[in-house]
Amino acid sequence: MKKWIKIILVSFFLFTIVPLTADAAENNLTVEDKDVAVSVDIPAGKSGVITSLRMQLRVSANSGTMNAPVFTFDSAVKSEIKDAVIMPGENGTYLVDLILSGKKDKSIFGGSESAKLGTLSVRPTSQQYKIKVETVGELDDNGKPMVKYMDANGIAVMTESLADAEPVLVETTGSTFGKIPRLKASVKNGSRSVSFSWDKIEGADGYVLYEVKNGKNTLVTTLSASATSVAKNYAYATDHSFSLRAFKKDAEGSISYGDYSPIVQITVGPNKVKEFSPEYKNSTKVTLTWQEVSKASGYQIYRSAKKNGTYTLVKDIKKGKTTSCTLKHPSGKTYYYKVKAYIKKSGNTVSGSFSTAEAAKTKAPKLRVSLNNKSVSLKWKKVSRAAGYKVYRSKTKSGKYKLVKTINKASGLKFSENMPKGSKVWYYKVCAFEKPKKGKSLSGNYSSAVKVKAR
């Protein structure tokens, strides 16, 4: 339960409860098609500002089936805190706990004798149904449910007996369309676009797609009668629930809604793996590193002998925080690697996009430079799996580097030349390369650039 709800409930019970009775004019529950309007009367004899209240409803299917109900607060209710907690109960029932709270100037009643709190939408999933909605909670001596109120001073809790709190039934009276739409939702691995589709409902003037959060409907989009599909983008690694219903308009412009579809749930996969780099650890092993993907459950690593060839799963890492692993990689062979993150949900695996395919490369040499008179000398340590080295030079650190020397032996660990003409400052880089048994030689990672400045 949310922390602020706990605070309100504690405050409700810390103060002295003063029972009040009133002659309620109308039933506090009124059926409006498949919705139930929920209202309350101001406590009898109360002239001050009422800022907080709590009441509870129970929803149960006497016949047919239903999804969790949804409560929408009326726009006229100005309370700072408006929350409807929908909790499943026994035998398919639901408890709806309504809580409102505001400051001294946030009157629930706004000077009126009664206030419409909002609308409870029942969600039948069968063509024939009879759904009961009733006010429950603490009862008075006559067995009538009560609503708890708090005034603007916050010094007393009052209870109002709802004398006309009779249960109401939302039942089949001839379905608007005689058919419940069947909503489908899907998302491809690596995509954040959710595709929706549904069967066409005869007689419908359009459809409304909702996202269902904590038992509440949020409008996603309204679509025309000809629409039977739509796609929407959502954030990576997120869970969603959706429902859809058809509607039609009469000549006066009044809208009648059909039944809600059963709720469908979807998980959008994780983001693409970035900063992926496979580098040889030694002559027989390769170390792969990458950037952690938010909310990932794990990673799957694939490899192939060809960049655009068939990739085979070689490692399944079941920890989302892992950002590296080491694999066997025989000497003399070229392999390309790629990795994707995945999320595990209720036994299902939802994958993100593959990283860019990268060939395993030799490590970057650790380069040292010195200038003796007019001679530039470069030295580095041997790199595992290197068949030789390439030396590059540029006038600027981030400029275009030109190959100035290829050293075709693994033991060639130095290079020297006279200070080149054309600039007082030069930058050098070195990379190792390997020669696999088959295919072209493959250059490794570059060293950091070193700077030489003429004296």
Side-chain angles (χ1 to χ4, degrees):
M1 185 178 287
K2 296 179 181 178
K3 184 177 180 180
W4 66 260
I5 296 179
K6 292 182 179 179
I7 294 171
I8 291 174
L9 296 185
V10 169
S11 66
F12 266 37
F13 294 105
L14 282 178
F15 301 106
T16 303
I17 295 179
V18 182
L20 299 172
T21 350
D23 294 323
E26 298 179 350
N27 192 17
N28 71 308
L29 304 177
T30 307
V31 178
E32 300 174 352
D33 193 13
K34 297 180 182 67
D35 296 334
V36 177
V38 181
S39 60
V40 291
D41 292 330
I42 195 166
K46 181 63 181 174
S47 58
V49 176
I50 300 294
T51 59
S52 304
L53 71 77
R54 183 192 183 195
M55 70 180 298
Q56 294 180 321
L57 306 172
R58 182 165 56 223
V59 185
S60 53
N62 288 0
S63 64
T65 57
M66 65 176 180
N67 283 326
V70 174
F71 189 86
T72 304
F73 283 97
D74 193 88
S75 59
V77 178
K78 302 302 182 182
S79 297
E80 291 177 296
I81 294 172
K82 295 185 286 188
D83 203 83
V85 182
I86 313 293
M87 296 173 285
E90 297 180 353
N91 302 319
T93 64
Y94 291 91
L95 180 67
V96 182
D97 200 355
L98 303 178
I99 298 175
L100 296 172
S101 183
K103 294 181 179 179
K104 291 184 178 181
D105 59 342
K106 302 293 184 182
S107 172
I108 292 171
F109 291 91
S112 300
E113 294 296 318
S114 64
K116 181 182 177 182
L117 301 185
T119 301
L120 179 73
S121 298
V122 300
R123 300 166 60 82
T125 55
S126 56
Q127 292 192 19
Q128 301 295 322
Y129 55 86
K130 185 178 291 186
I131 298 173
K132 181 180 179 181
V133 180
E134 56 189 328
T135 308
V136 294
E138 186 176 347
L139 305 178
D140 65 12
D141 294 336
N142 297 318
K144 295 292 184 180
M146 296 188 295
V147 178
K148 285 187 169 60
Y149 299 90
M150 185 178 290
D151 63 18
N153 296 320
I155 59 174
V157 172
M158 300 154 284
T159 57
E160 170 74 6
S161 297
L162 298 174
D164 289 330
E166 298 299 326
V168 295
L169 288 176
V170 180
E171 55 188 326
T172 310
T173 57
S175 176
T176 304
F177 299 104
K179 185 178 181 181
I180 298 175
R182 292 177 297 170
L183 178 64
K184 297 179 181 178
S186 62
V187 59
K188 294 182 179 179
N189 284 342
S191 173
R192 63 186 187 94
S193 176
V194 178
S195 298
F196 303 92
S197 63
W198 55 92
D199 51 323
K200 186 177 178 63
I201 303 295
E202 292 298 328
D205 291 322
Y207 306 88
V208 184
L209 178 66
Y210 302 92
E211 183 168 4
V212 184
K213 298 179 180 179
N214 301 319
K216 300 177 185 178
N217 278 346
T218 302
L219 175 67
V220 175
T221 186
T222 301
L223 300 125
S224 67
S226 60
T228 54
S229 64
V230 71
K232 294 289 181 180
N233 288 336
Y234 291 89
Y236 288 110
T238 52
D239 298 320
H240 304 272
S241 298
F242 300 96
S243 186
L244 176 134
R245 61 177 175 172
F247 68 86
K248 63 180 179 182
K249 295 181 179 179
D250 60 21
E252 287 74 34
S254 297
I255 298 177
S256 299
Y257 290 95
D259 297 319
Y260 286 95
S261 70
I263 292 175
V264 296
Q265 296 177 324
I266 201 78
T267 297
V268 180
N271 205 346
K272 180 178 179 179
V273 175
K274 299 176 182 178
E275 297 184 16
F276 176 60
S277 176
E279 186 177 81
Y280 292 120
K281 182 178 181 179
N282 53 40
S283 60
T284 59
K285 291 182 180 180
V286 63
T287 296
L288 295 83
T289 58
W290 59 89
Q291 187 181 72
E292 180 184 336
V293 175
S294 176
K295 298 182 182 179
S297 301
Y299 303 89
Q300 291 179 332
I301 297 168
Y302 291 73
R303 77 178 175 191
S304 171
K306 297 180 179 180
K307 187 170 186 177
N308 297 318
T310 301
Y311 282 78
T312 303
L313 177 66
V314 292
K315 184 73 173 179
D316 187 351
I317 299 170
K318 295 179 172 59
K319 292 183 179 180
K321 297 292 184 181
T322 301
T323 56
S324 68
C325 77
T326 299
L327 302 173
K328 291 182 179 180
H329 186 132
S331 179
K333 285 192 175 183
T334 297
Y335 282 127
Y336 290 84
Y337 293 86
K338 57 184 180 180
V339 60
K340 63 180 179 181
Y342 65 84
I343 294 174
K344 279 281 189 182
K345 284 286 182 181
S346 302
N348 297 320
T349 301
V350 185
S351 299
S353 296
F354 277 109
S355 68
T356 304
E358 298 285 351
K361 295 180 179 180
T362 53
K363 289 183 178 181
K366 293 182 179 180
L367 185 60
R368 294 176 295 163
V369 63
S370 61
L371 181 62
N372 185 13
N373 293 326
K374 294 183 179 181
S375 177
V376 178
S377 295
L378 304 176
K379 292 183 180 181
W380 56 90
K381 291 184 179 181
K382 186 177 181 180
V383 174
S384 180
R385 295 179 68 126
Y389 301 88
K390 294 180 180 180
V391 181
Y392 294 83
R393 183 179 64 208
S394 173
K395 291 181 180 180
T396 60
K397 186 175 183 179
S398 57
K400 185 177 181 179
Y401 282 77
K402 179 182 178 181
L403 176 66
V404 294
K405 182 68 174 179
T406 299
I407 302 171
N408 289 301
K409 56 182 180 179
S411 59
L413 305 178
K414 59 183 178 179
F415 166 79
S416 62
E417 66 174 2
N418 289 331
M419 185 71 175
K421 296 180 180 179
S423 177
K424 292 184 177 181
V425 176
W426 290 94
Y427 292 86
Y428 290 86
K429 286 184 179 180
V430 175
C431 74
F433 65 87
E434 65 167 336
K435 290 183 178 179
K437 294 177 182 179
K438 294 181 181 180
K440 299 179 180 179
S441 63
L442 187 66
S443 295
N445 292 314
Y446 288 94
S447 69
S448 298
V450 293
K451 178 181 176 181
V452 177
K453 184 176 181 180
R455 296 191 178 101

